[in-house]
Amino acid sequence: MIDKNLYELGKLAQKGNEIAMLEIIEQKKKIIKKYSYGSEDRYQFIILKLIEGIKNYKF
């Protein structure tokens, strides 16, 4: 999965591929931590919204 770009990972994740979803979260981990301001609740909320956004996005 390392060679896949974000668009391809998004399409796979939308179809239910959990590995692709984890890869997207791993790629965005740094920015998620930055905007969670050290709060674990915010961190989990941002990840939840990221997952919902990927599932609803029109690829």
Side-chain angles (χ1 to χ4, degrees):
M1 290 274 171
I2 294 172
D3 295 341
K4 303 249 185 222
N5 64 24
L6 194 57
Y7 177 79
E8 292 169 345
L9 288 171
K11 286 182 79 168
L12 290 171
Q14 198 172 47
K15 293 179 183 176
N17 188 330
E18 293 178 6
I19 302 296
M21 187 68 75
L22 290 173
E23 185 69 28
I24 293 170
I25 292 170
E26 186 64 33
Q27 287 182 5
K28 300 299 177 184
K29 183 187 277 187
K30 195 171 188 179
I31 197 164
I32 293 170
K33 283 191 180 217
K34 178 182 177 184
Y35 286 105
S36 66
Y37 304 109
S39 171
E40 184 65 29
D41 290 336
R42 285 183 186 161
Y43 183 78
Q44 294 297 323
F45 181 76
I46 292 170
I47 289 177
L48 176 66
K49 290 300 177 182
L50 176 65
I51 292 169
E52 288 176 2
I54 291 168
K55 289 185 178 188
N56 294 326
Y57 190 76
K58 305 280 191 242
F59 285 99

